[in-house]
Amino acid sequence: MVEPSPFILIIEDDEVIARFIEVELQYEGYQVQVRADGMAGLLAARSTPTPDLIILDRMLPQLDGLEICRRLRQTSRIPIIMLSAKVTVEDRVTGLNAGA
C-alpha cells in the first residue's frame, strides 16, 4: 500500500507568492491547498484532512497570521512556518511566541 503524500496548507494572500510555493511543493510530490485570507485558512487548518504543515503569511485579510497561529495552538501542534515581510527581531519573537 502506498502511503499518501504529506499535505501542506498555504495561507497566503499574494497570488504570485502562493502560486510559486504551491507549484514547487507539488513538483516535490506534496499535496497542497491554498487559502488567500485568514478566516478561510483557519477553517481549512481545522478541517479534514488535517495538514501536516502550514505555511502562514503574517499579514492577511480578515484574520492575521499571528491570530491564526494563536488560535491553532490552543488545540493543535501542527508545525507552522510563518512568512513575513517584517524583519525586526521583535517581529520574529512575536511570531515564535504565537506558536510558529
Side-chain angles (χ1 to χ4, degrees), residues 39-92:
M39 190 56 72
L42 181 61
L43 292 172
R46 290 181 169 167
S47 67
T48 303
T50 304
D52 295 297
L53 172 70
I54 297 172
I55 298 176
L56 177 62
D57 185 14
R58 180 159 176 184
M59 297 179 285
L60 293 162
Q62 295 191 21
L63 196 61
D64 76 7
L66 290 175
E67 185 59 27
I68 293 168
C69 207
R70 287 184 190 112
R71 290 184 188 190
L72 288 174
R73 284 295 168 251
Q74 292 174 357
T75 59
S76 172
R77 299 306 312 161
I78 298 169
I80 298 171
I81 297 173
M82 192 170 288
L83 301 177
S84 179
K86 296 182 176 264
V87 296
T88 69
V89 172
E90 182 180 320
D91 292 322
R92 292 178 193 166

Side-chain angles (χ1 to χ4, degrees), residues 2 5 12-13 16 22-23 40 42 45 58 71 73 76 81 95:
V2 176
S5 299
E12 169 61 69
D13 62 327
V16 173
E22 178 185 25
V23 167
L42 181 61
R58 180 159 176 184
R71 290 184 188 190
R73 284 295 168 251
S76 172
I81 297 173

